[in-house]
């Protein structure tokens, strides 16, 4: 997407949906960026586990720019899409959208690409299995 151009619709699968609560705010009453990033990491992890058919760990996150704030009462909707797969790692594009409190208005708040590595029970990288058929959730 070109810089300055904003998507009108989320890309990917809705993976996590949660309410922003007062305990998640900074002194200005906005939701902490770290809380949003945590929800995105969880969503990416869910998508990664599905693709890896097992345990994954986050190894990198590209630059993240917050476009709009998330406020108390908003519903944060996090969408994921696998963008690339290597031997042991995968890149997952993650978008966070806020459904504004008491409305159906949705606004994109941030996006990032997370890199996950499939690991075995000892935490060592393991090969990803071949891609299987898409199973509806």
């Amino acid at each position: 997407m070109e810089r300055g151009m904003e998507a009108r619709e989320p890309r990917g699968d809705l993976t996590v949906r949660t309410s922003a609560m007062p305990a998640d705010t900074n002194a200005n009453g906005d939701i902490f960026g770290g809380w949003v990033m945590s929800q995105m990491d969880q969503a990416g992890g869910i998508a990664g586990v599905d693709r890896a058919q097992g345990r994954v760990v986050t190894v990198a996150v590209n630059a993240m720019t917050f476009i709009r704030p998330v406020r108390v009462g908003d519903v944060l909707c996090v969408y994921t899409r696998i963008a690339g797969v290597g031997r042991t790692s995968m890149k997952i594009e993650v978008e966070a959208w806020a459904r504004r409190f008491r409305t159906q208005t949705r606004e994109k708040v941030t996006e990032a690409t997370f890199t996950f590595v499939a690991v075995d029970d000892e935490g060592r990288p393991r090969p990803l299995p071949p891609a299987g058929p898409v199973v509806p959730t």
Side-chain angles (χ1 to χ4, degrees), residues 30-82:
D30 294 324
I31 298 299
F32 281 114
W35 179 84
V36 174
M37 187 174 184
S38 173
Q39 303 307 310
M40 294 171 73
D41 191 30
Q42 285 182 19
I46 290 168
V49 164
D50 287 349
R51 174 58 184 85
Q53 299 173 19
R55 186 174 167 203
V56 298
V57 295
T58 309
V59 296
V61 180
N62 75 341
M64 182 179 290
T65 301
F66 290 92
I67 304 163
R68 292 186 169 74
V70 178
R71 297 180 187 90
V72 171
D74 289 349
V75 174
L76 188 72
C77 301
V78 186
Y79 296 82
T80 59
R81 186 172 74 83
I82 296 181

